[in-house]
Each structure stands twice: as C-alpha cells, then as structure tokens.
Amino acid sequence: MFGPLSLLILQSCVIIVAARIVGMIARRLGQPAVIAEVLAGIGLGPSLLGRVSPAAAAALFPKASLAGLSLLSQVGLVFFMFLIGLELDPKLLRGRGASSFAISASGIFVPFTLGALFALHIFASEAGPSVPKASFTLFMGIAMSITAFPVLARILSERKLIRTKLGSVALACAAADDVTAWCLLAFVVSFVHAKGVAAALLTTAEAAGFAVCMLLVVRPLLARLGARITTRESLTQNVVGLTFVLLLASAFVSEWIGIHALFGAFLFGAIMPRQGDYAQALAERLEDFVVVALLPLFFAFSGLRTELGLVAGAGDWLLCFELTAVACLGKFGGSFVAARFTGMTTRDSAALGVLMNTRGLMELIVLNVGLDLGVLSPALFAMFVVMALVTTLATSPILEMLERKTASSS
C-alpha cells in the first residue's frame, strides 16, 4: 500500500507522536521521559498493538520494513552515544577521592558477580544450544552492572541534587561504571564475534590500540580545533561537517574491529574538548533532533522486538522476578554497603544505591546488542526489558520517600 520511504515516514510520525503523548503523562507522574519512550515503543509492538489490532500492526510495521527502521534507529543511536560521551565530563572521574572509587568498584563487581552466578544457574534452561557458556555468563554480568548515566543525571537535575555531595558522588560513580561496563561489553562482543580466545584477545588488542590512537592522535586534533571555536558563531558548517566525519569514522572503525559502532561514537564524544563553546554548541545543535526525532525510533524498534507474551506462565514470571531481584540486590546492595563503609549516612547511602540502580536507556542498548549477537533469547530479552523498566520506574518514588522520611525526622 505504501512505498518504503512513505512507510518509513509514516512510522516515524506515529512513533514520535506516541512518544510525546506518553512523555507528557510520564512527566505528570514524576517519571523521566525515557520511561515514556520505552513504554510507547512497547505499546507499538506485539505486546500491545499486535494484540489489540494485529491488522493495524501488520500494516504499520510489516516485517519487510523493519530493516530500514533498524538502520535509521542505529544511526540515531550512534549520534546519541556521541552526546552521552559529551555529557560524560572526565572531571567527574577525578578528584572525588577514594570513596567514589570504592563505591564505583563495588557497584560494578557485586552485580557483575551475582549476574554471572545467576547466568550459570539458568544457562541450561534459558541459553540457546549454540550460545557459549562464557559469552552468556559474561553478558549477563554486564547487563546487571549497567547504570543509566544520562537518566541519572536528569533525575538529579530535576530534584536539584546535582551540586550536592550526593549528586557529585552519584555522577562520578555512574560515569566510572558506564565507562567500565562499556569496556567490558566491547570485550564480550569481540569474544562472541572472534570465535575463540586467541581471536578475542586479538580483537581486544585492536580495540585498545584504537582507543590509544583516539586519545593520542584524535584528541589533540580536536583540542586544536576546539581552541579556534571561541564563540558559537565560530562553529561553522565546515567545522560541524568535519566533526561528523570524524565521529562516523570512529564508529566505522570500532564496528570494523568487531566491538560495535556505538563504542566508537561514545569514545569520540568522551574525548571532545570541554574548553570553550565547541562541545556545548555542537550538543545544542544535535540534541533536540537526535533525542526527539531519532532516539524514539530506537525505542520503537526495541518495542517491536519485545514480546511480553513470551513471558508466559508462573515459571517465566518467577524467573523474571528473580532476575529483577538479583539486579536490584547487586546494584543497590553493592553501592549501599560501599557507601556506608566510606562514611556516608544511611539515608545518603540508600539514595545512592537507588540512583545507581537506575538502568533505563543504557540497559536497552546493551540488551539489543545481546539480542543481535544471539546471546539473549527473545524471551530473556523481554524479561530484561521488564527489569530495566521496574528499576528505572522505582527510582523517583523511592527517592521522594527517602526525602520525606528525612524531612519528618529533622
């Protein structure tokens, strides 16, 4: 009925409108916009629209059209990961003392360990016959370790906690956690693609060489370029064009190496110079288009791959509950205990644990990588999506409850 381009335009319009409508409802309920976009994406998929009106779902999102939607969403994701790298101020990783390092290390090690042990427990029943145990175990550990840095930053900003000690420690820990998790993910992706330990080590060495080249060669080039951007008017179209070429080249090289294009985009954003107006002006030009127009396409595509109907029966929902409990215990428990040992109050330690348990968008990105690699089955993918939603939805209400308790006791 529609040509490929007409259908893609129609799909984009429906997705953006659905995301904005659900977003307005989410904001009224005190939830971050990312929750609305995830729910809108799931609603357009087989979990809701596919059940309520299969004919409409088949007409709007025929299987033949999903390849185009997937590619466009991946391009949007590359630019979004670049923006995430821009938000990740390296200063957050310095000067916060031993406490931030201890909390961050515990916030990665504990959930990773629990996730790996849980993976060994469910491997026989949930992993596909062609999935290596090592790949499944490592990936489950990483999926449990993710913290959604951008969502956490927005929650702190909305609650005016950014400039507090709690906010500073939370941002530093989340930044360190995300960098560590992405490095681990890059290794696991290389391990899955490489078909053997020796090949995986070679891919990891290539990735390390790529990172060193970005830091020692590309970063100084960007610094010299940024020194010329003294005002926003200095950010000409030629400079923007050159920046985009370097960004896409970075994404291309990391994809070619075998560690996913997103890693290259994230790294390129992280090494951008923070002096002057270069990074900030570039982010302002990109952010609205990427976040409003392109990112919802990724959520919709994730929703089309999320079939909650695959989580059927008491056994599956029990497994989903166990997975969510392990994720919360690892992230909240690891962060809380480490925070208490470093001298933070019980209330601040609990608030920090809740914040670090926020997963949101970053978890979905990692899950989609796992589904594409074949490490996660569609049913397990759906369970992880439920876990990501629950942990992110719970953040704001629990923080508000902790604030009320603190106010009533003071």
Side-chain angles (χ1 to χ4, degrees):
M1 184 167 60
F2 298 108
L5 180 58
S6 300
L7 185 57
L8 182 59
I9 292 172
L10 178 61
Q11 290 170 340
S12 301
C13 290
V14 170
I15 291 166
I16 293 171
V17 169
R20 303 319 295 174
I21 291 173
V22 183
M24 289 188 291
I25 299 171
R27 280 190 292 273
R28 287 180 179 274
L29 297 175
Q31 292 292 341
V34 63
I35 285 294
E37 291 166 341
V38 173
L39 292 174
I42 292 175
L44 292 172
S47 299
L48 182 59
L49 182 61
R51 286 177 174 270
V52 175
S53 180
L60 185 58
F61 297 106
K63 288 187 177 181
S65 72
L66 296 185
L69 183 63
S70 171
L71 285 175
L72 187 57
S73 72
Q74 290 296 316
V75 171
L77 207 53
V78 163
F79 279 96
F80 181 75
M81 289 306 297
F82 167 64
L83 290 175
I84 295 301
L86 284 180
E87 284 190 15
L88 186 66
D89 190 344
K91 291 179 182 177
L92 291 173
L93 304 179
R94 301 193 300 266
R96 297 297 176 186
S99 61
S100 294
F101 175 79
I103 297 167
S104 175
S106 180
I108 282 285
F109 177 76
V110 175
F112 184 92
T113 302
L114 290 180
L117 292 173
F118 188 69
L120 294 174
H121 171 63
I122 66 172
F123 177 77
S125 60
E126 299 300 324
S130 61
V131 178
K133 182 178 285 189
S135 300
F136 186 77
T137 303
L138 290 171
F139 190 87
M140 286 282 288
I142 292 169
M144 296 292 191
S145 306
I146 291 294
T147 293
F149 178 83
V151 178
L152 182 144
R154 281 164 175 75
I155 290 173
L156 289 172
S157 178
E158 289 170 4
R159 307 192 77 84
K160 296 181 173 56
L161 295 172
I162 285 273
R163 300 188 184 280
T164 65
K165 179 184 177 182
L166 171 64
S168 298
V169 172
L171 283 175
C173 293
D177 277 10
D178 270 7
V179 170
T180 305
W182 277 98
C183 291
L184 289 171
L185 181 64
F187 174 77
V188 173
V189 172
S190 68
F191 185 83
V192 174
H193 280 161
K195 307 298 183 185
V197 176
L201 290 175
L202 176 62
T203 302
T204 304
E206 291 173 346
F210 166 65
V212 170
C213 179
M214 293 289 286
L215 290 169
L216 299 184
V217 179
V218 180
R219 187 180 185 184
L221 172 65
L222 292 173
R224 287 197 294 271
L225 187 61
R228 300 180 182 180
I229 313 300
T230 55
T231 64
R232 295 176 187 274
E233 290 72 24
S234 305
L235 188 64
T236 64
Q237 291 183 351
N238 285 337
V239 175
V240 173
L242 175 60
T243 305
F244 284 177
V245 167
L246 292 174
L247 162 63
L248 294 173
S250 176
F252 170 81
V253 172
S254 63
E255 179 75 16
W256 177 68
I257 288 173
I259 56 172
H260 210 289
L262 301 180
F263 184 79
F266 174 78
L267 180 59
F268 184 79
I271 65 171
M272 287 283 288
R274 299 308 195 273
Q275 296 80 14
D277 288 332
Y278 185 21
Q280 187 174 353
L282 193 63
E284 288 175 359
R285 288 195 182 188
L286 266 179
E287 190 165 12
D288 283 346
F289 178 66
V290 172
V291 172
V292 175
L294 294 182
L295 196 57
L297 302 184
F298 168 74
F299 289 122
F301 185 68
S302 299
L304 292 170
R305 308 174 91 186
T306 304
E307 297 186 51
L308 295 179
L310 294 175
V311 187
D316 283 351
W317 282 108
L318 177 61
L319 179 60
C320 186
F321 173 79
E322 290 174 351
L323 188 149
T324 304
V326 170
C328 293
L329 177 64
K331 203 68 178 176
F332 174 85
S335 302
F336 176 83
V337 172
R340 287 293 291 138
F341 268 108
T342 57
M344 293 182 71
T345 65
T346 301
R347 182 263 175 192
D348 282 352
S349 298
L352 182 64
V354 171
L355 287 165
M356 297 300 287
N357 198 39
T358 304
R359 286 174 170 85
L361 167 65
M362 305 305 286
E363 182 77 14
L364 276 186
I365 294 173
V366 171
L367 296 181
N368 274 273
V369 171
L371 188 60
D372 289 335
L373 291 174
V375 176
L376 293 182
S377 67
L380 199 54
F381 175 83
M383 293 180 195
F384 265 106
V385 170
V386 171
M387 180 271 285
L389 285 172
V390 169
T391 54
T392 308
L393 278 167
T395 302
S396 292
I398 296 177
L399 283 178
E400 192 170 333
M401 181 182 69
L402 289 172
E403 288 175 0
R404 283 201 304 266
K405 284 188 175 182
T406 302
S408 63
S409 61
S410 60

